[in-house]
Amino acid sequence: MSTVGIDAIRFYTPAFAIRLPDLARARGVDPDKYTIGLGQEVMSIMPPDEDIVTMAAHAALPLITDETKEKIHLLLFATESGVDNSKAAGLWVHNLLHLHPSCRVVELKQACYSATCALQLAHSYLHHHPNEKVLLIASDNARYGLHTAGEPTQGCGAVAMILSASPKLLALEEHQGVVADHVMDFWRPTYRTEAVVDGKYSTKVYLNTLQSCWKSYEQASGRRFEDHARFCYHIPFTRMAEKAHERLSKAASIPFNQEQIEHELIYSRQIGNAYTASLYIGLASLLELDALDLSDKRIGFFSYGSGCVGEFFSGVVPEGYREHLGLSFHKKILDRRATLTIPEYEEFFTYTLKEDGSAQTTPNVSAGPFRLTGVSNHERLYG
Ligand code: HMG
């Protein structure tokens, strides 16, 4: 069997952010609660002229060359912030990036988990189509509402990954531990733009699901905790990933070692939760910022999507991976962001598109190259 995995990865987040201490002061909360208790420093904010489509196109653009365009015949778009109940968001991206006309396009949903399901589906697909590449995009806007407990754990961003049978960044391994269960810890009915969440319960379900997934992964693979050099967890806020690693270390009777997760958390501390994209922003952070040479090292991953599905899986980093990272692109994306005041953030947050389908032009606040320019006759317009 050929090796299959991640060949390239780029993430994108919009050009606006707020500082968590500013939000804390505006909400009458001790800033340490957000920066230490939740482990978040900055939160990306979605402007009125961006959405999951523009973020996705921005993330994928640097990966699209004439060669990849020719080889991508499957585009998997993972999101829980869908902009249409019928049409896959990936079709707008397919158009914006001028992808191959015979490329299959589909959207996948299961809270923050669906990008991982897409990764495993692409794994099987590439075994049968080893000369092709798959474009996997995860793009989300995390919204809980102003003045809610979840507000400091919002954020937004997209990740684009090229998957192939000769991966340069991560070779996926056989054996996963998967758990699905019907729980109401977090959900978003189709008539709402903000999630409904039982916050404390959701953190408990996350940790219990981790433990069950690990157990089933351990049994299936025969691998032990010590066989993994680093761990990447889904990051709704960075303190949650630390708690996950504390839980797993304890279960394995191994002393907690922050170094095993620290570099996964750095970008997310500056972005917030990007739902489906969070785990893979964490992977980019680890590969780009960890001083340890990760060549031939195994990474353990825990993907969690409320509702819930969890999966523990693993991958090995190929030699030479550092030549294929996007460090300078990502630094530019993070450093270019303008800091909004809290009233400015609230204005962006409450901006809505009309539901009667009449013509509307969005304010031109983002630099592009892709913008949601407006709506006309119920059709989203991109430029
Ligand atoms: P809360 O109830 O306001 O916060 O909301 P808290 O009272 O639990 O405090 C948070 C932490 O800050 C606590 O630490 C406090 O002790 C600490 P802990 O005890 O948990 O270790 N703290 C302080 N630390 C330093 N100085 C201080 C201070 N004050 C308090 N002065 C909650 C927290 C996470 C519940 C809320 O933000 C929320 O509901 N968030 C959204 C839900 C969420 O993120 N859940 C995570 C698991 S589910 C998941 O990951 C899936 C998800 O991504 C969705 C999907 O799958 O699509 C969410």
Side-chain angles (χ1 to χ4, degrees), residues 55-240:
M55 289 197 302
H58 282 124
L61 183 65
L63 302 179
I64 302 302
T65 60
D66 287 344
E67 193 226 333
T68 50
K69 248 187 217 176
E70 223 15 74
K71 291 198 165 175
I72 294 168
H73 289 269
L74 176 59
L75 164 50
L76 299 172
F77 196 111
T79 187
E80 55 176 300
S81 322
V83 293
D84 195 283
N85 284 329
S86 293
K87 187 178 169 105
L91 275 167
W92 278 288
V93 177
H94 180 275
N95 181 51
L96 290 171
L97 299 179
H98 309 293
L99 297 182
H100 203 286
S102 73
C103 177
R104 292 180 174 94
V105 181
V106 70
E107 187 171 310
L108 298 96
K109 178 175 69 187
Q110 183 3 67
C112 300
Y113 167 72
S114 62
T116 299
C117 189
L119 188 65
Q120 300 298 2
L121 294 174
H123 191 174
S124 308
Y125 179 89
L126 286 165
H127 276 308
H128 296 288
H129 304 86
N131 298 322
E132 292 186 19
K133 290 178 190 277
V134 174
L135 176 59
L136 194 174
I137 301 181
S139 184
D140 267 307
N141 184 18
R143 288 170 62 93
Y144 293 95
L146 305 177
H147 302 272
T148 63
E151 186 180 26
T153 65
Q154 298 176 135
C156 51
V159 157
M161 294 184 270
I162 301 279
L163 312 175
S164 84
S166 51
K168 298 184 182 75
L169 297 183
L170 188 83
L172 292 168
E173 292 191 295
E174 296 292 312
H175 305 298
Q176 303 86 29
V178 181
V179 169
D181 193 10
H182 170 56
V183 288
M184 297 304 277
D185 60 333
F186 165 107
W187 66 102
R188 185 168 68 82
T190 46
Y191 50 82
R192 285 179 62 104
T193 52
E194 282 87 46
V196 183
V197 62
D198 188 342
K200 293 226 164 77
Y201 176 57
S202 73
T203 63
K204 285 197 182 85
V205 182
Y206 175 117
L207 293 175
N208 292 339
T209 307
L210 164 65
Q211 208 157 343
S212 306
C213 289
W214 168 258
K215 216 167 158 187
S216 116
Y217 165 80
E218 207 181 17
Q219 274 167 7
S221 67
R223 295 181 200 117
R224 294 160 304 151
F225 184 98
E226 308 86 286
D227 296 326
H228 304 78
R230 294 289 186 256
F231 293 81
C232 285
Y233 298 92
H234 167 55
I235 315 171
F237 49 93
T238 64
R239 196 52 206 119
M240 186 75 233

Side-chain angles (χ1 to χ4, degrees), residues 14-18 27 43-51 141-143 145-146 151 154 156 193-194 336-353 360 362-367 371-372:
F16 301 93
I18 56 169
R27 300 294 180 250
M43 187 165 95
S44 284
I45 304 298
M46 182 76 84
D49 59 346
E50 285 233 49
D51 64 5
N141 184 18
R143 288 170 62 93
L146 305 177
E151 186 180 26
Q154 298 176 135
C156 51
T193 52
E194 282 87 46
R336 86 197 197 294
R337 290 177 300 171
T339 302
L340 299 176
T341 63
I342 299 308
E344 285 168 339
Y345 143 66
E346 290 175 347
E347 205 178 317
F348 275 9
F349 189 91
T350 48
Y351 181 86
T352 50
L353 295 175
Q360 179 174 358
T362 56
N364 188 349
V365 290
S366 300
R371 287 185 55 243
L372 171 67

